[in-house]
């Protein structure tokens, strides 16, 4: 316990950093994911192509490589931001590709007749998607979206290698101070467990309230 009690502030700072990365990265991933899913089912060919390229590139790019591209590449184009914001961009964009595919799968579960009925009433594509399709699709994608955001929380550990304060990065300081590496990582694992179980609990509540009955 001395590893935890002696370094409670360091663990707390790292845990707060991980929570911030998870929350902001999740918000960005959800917004982009739903947007790209809308693009992928849009009647406009250019939007479908853009959504397809977005998903294909990001799903097949290692997250570490994406971090390098964002942190080291964007400043070359005059985009200078705090490292934490760069990390949120990398995590959010990467995860949005997986959110997109989960949402698109949910859209495909909605009967085609629902969209046809909405269009026969004179509703536009945006109105049909926003008021008819997505609300029904949301109910079926709650579990996969929750799993994807849990993965985002764990992926945030990569940010520590890019000068971003997060939970895993605390091991470097504690190792330099001479604390046992095993117990250092045990308490780090407990911190990640707290974050992931919290996300899981939130999505369990959402699933019980709005999920599709199986």
């Amino acid at each position: 316990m001395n590893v935890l009690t002696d370094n409670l502030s360091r663990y707390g700072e790292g845990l707060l950093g991980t929570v911030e990365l998870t929350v902001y990265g999740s918000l960005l991933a959800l917004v982009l994911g739903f947007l790209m899913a809308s693009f992928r089912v849009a009647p406009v060919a250019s939007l479908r192509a853009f959504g397809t390229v977005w998903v294909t590139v990001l799903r097949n790019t290692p997250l570490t490589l994406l971090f390098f591209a964002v942190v080291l590449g964007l400043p070359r184009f005059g985009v200078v931001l705090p490292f934490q914001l760069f990390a949120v961009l990398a995590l959010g964009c990467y995860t949005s590709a997986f959110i997109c595919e989960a949402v698109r799968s949910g859209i495909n579960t909605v009967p085609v007749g629902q969209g046809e009925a909405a269009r026969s009433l004179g509703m536009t594509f945006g109105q049909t998607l926003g008021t008819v399709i997505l609300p029904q699709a949301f109910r079926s994608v709650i579990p996969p979206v929750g799993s994807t955001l849990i993965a985002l929380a764990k992926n945030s550990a990569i940010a520590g290698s890019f000068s971003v304060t997060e939970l895993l990065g605390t091991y470097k300081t504690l190792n330099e101070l001479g604390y046992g590496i095993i117990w250092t990582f045990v308490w780090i694992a407990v911190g990640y467990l707290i974050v992931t179980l919290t996300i899981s609990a939130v999505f369990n509540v959402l699933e019980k309230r709005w999920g599709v009955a199986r």
Side-chain angles (χ1 to χ4, degrees):
M1 287 295 294
N2 68 303
V3 176
L4 177 63
T5 55
D6 293 349
N7 302 281
L8 194 59
S9 61
R10 292 189 179 92
Y11 276 117
E13 185 179 359
L15 180 60
L16 179 60
T18 294
V19 170
E20 289 178 345
L21 287 173
T22 301
V23 170
Y24 296 138
S26 296
L27 291 175
L28 180 60
L30 288 170
V31 171
L32 289 177
F34 274 84
L35 180 62
M36 291 303 149
S38 301
F39 283 3
R40 295 210 65 186
V41 298
V44 182
S46 58
L47 292 180
R48 292 199 304 271
F50 182 84
T52 300
V53 171
W54 179 275
V55 170
T56 301
V57 171
L58 291 177
R59 288 185 72 186
N60 293 285
T61 300
L63 181 55
T64 304
L65 180 60
L66 185 60
F67 263 92
F68 276 112
V70 171
V71 176
L72 302 180
L74 290 182
R76 292 179 178 270
F77 296 95
V79 181
V80 180
L81 300 170
F83 280 175
Q84 186 181 35
L85 189 50
F86 278 134
V88 169
L89 286 174
L91 285 169
C93 291
Y94 177 79
T95 308
S96 71
F98 297 90
I99 297 288
C100 170
E101 289 302 275
V103 173
R104 189 168 71 94
S105 297
I107 291 174
N108 290 336
T109 65
V110 179
V112 177
Q114 297 279 340
E116 294 176 346
R119 286 192 295 272
S120 69
L121 293 174
M123 298 177 69
T124 64
F125 170 75
Q127 291 172 330
T128 301
L129 193 67
T131 61
V132 178
I133 306 299
L134 283 180
Q136 296 182 71
F138 171 75
R139 299 177 61 199
S140 63
V141 302
I142 293 174
V145 167
S147 298
T148 302
L149 296 185
I150 287 174
L152 182 149
K154 293 183 286 186
N155 287 338
S156 67
I158 297 176
S161 301
F162 295 87
S163 303
V164 177
T165 300
E166 52 78 41
L167 192 55
L168 183 61
T170 57
Y171 90 90
K172 299 176 184 177
T173 302
L174 299 185
N175 189 41
E176 292 173 355
L177 293 175
Y179 288 96
I181 193 68
I182 294 178
W183 283 106
T184 297
F185 278 111
V186 164
W187 292 115
I188 289 174
V190 169
Y192 278 107
L193 193 63
I194 292 172
V195 174
T196 55
L197 287 180
T198 300
I199 297 173
S200 179
V202 170
F203 276 84
N204 282 338
V205 171
L206 292 177
E207 186 176 8
K208 288 179 180 178
R209 183 166 183 176
W210 288 303
V212 176
R214 303 291 182 182

